[in-house]
Amino acid sequence: MNLTTRTSADGKALTIQIKGKFDFNLVQSFRQAYAQIDCSTNKVIVDLRETDYMDSSALGMLLNMKKTLEDKVTVFEITNCQPQLKKILQISRFDKKFDIS
């Protein structure tokens, strides 16, 4: 599977890791990854360490996640971006909506 999730030991952070392509094929599994988020979770991390491709549908999925969870979650991070993905996120002004590293 190209998407894995894990919750921190204290339950306060949910990490969604994408491997390979972050595109339209992941719509359902990405949505399911955060659909049952616990009320004690206040941070969502999208780990792109092993992501080598991202398209516009991935940007839409990130925005939908933020919109869906913004009443529950206070911190949204996109971490471990490859340089080309970080450039896409910055051009799309996602650095204004997410903490990107």
Side-chain angles (χ1 to χ4, degrees):
M1 183 175 209
N2 292 344
L3 186 147
T4 56
T5 62
R6 70 179 179 280
T7 305
S8 62
D10 62 5
K12 294 187 178 190
L14 170 68
T15 301
I16 303 170
Q17 186 172 14
I18 312 290
K19 295 179 183 173
K21 294 183 178 185
F22 189 9
D23 61 13
F24 187 75
N25 294 318
L26 291 180
V27 169
Q28 292 296 345
S29 53
F30 189 77
R31 195 174 292 146
Q32 290 171 350
Y34 63 82
Q36 304 299 322
I37 197 164
D38 190 273
C39 61
S40 65
T41 304
N42 61 6
K43 182 179 193 178
V44 174
I45 303 162
V46 179
D47 186 345
L48 301 180
R49 174 187 333 263
E50 297 182 49
T51 308
D52 51 27
Y53 173 82
M54 169 189 283
D55 67 6
S56 61
S57 63
L59 299 176
M61 286 185 265
L62 291 167
L63 289 175
N64 284 336
M65 176 190 68
K66 189 169 191 316
K67 184 178 177 184
T68 301
L69 299 178
E70 63 191 353
D71 292 340
K72 301 176 185 177
V73 176
T74 55
V75 178
F76 293 90
E77 289 184 11
I78 301 173
T79 62
N80 302 311
C81 291
Q82 303 293 333
Q84 71 272 19
L85 299 182
K86 193 169 190 174
K87 188 173 183 176
I88 291 169
L89 292 167
Q90 289 172 333
I91 289 170
S92 304
R93 314 274 288 162
F94 273 56
D95 53 339
K96 305 294 182 206
K97 297 180 182 303
F98 297 87
D99 295 331
I100 300 174
S101 63

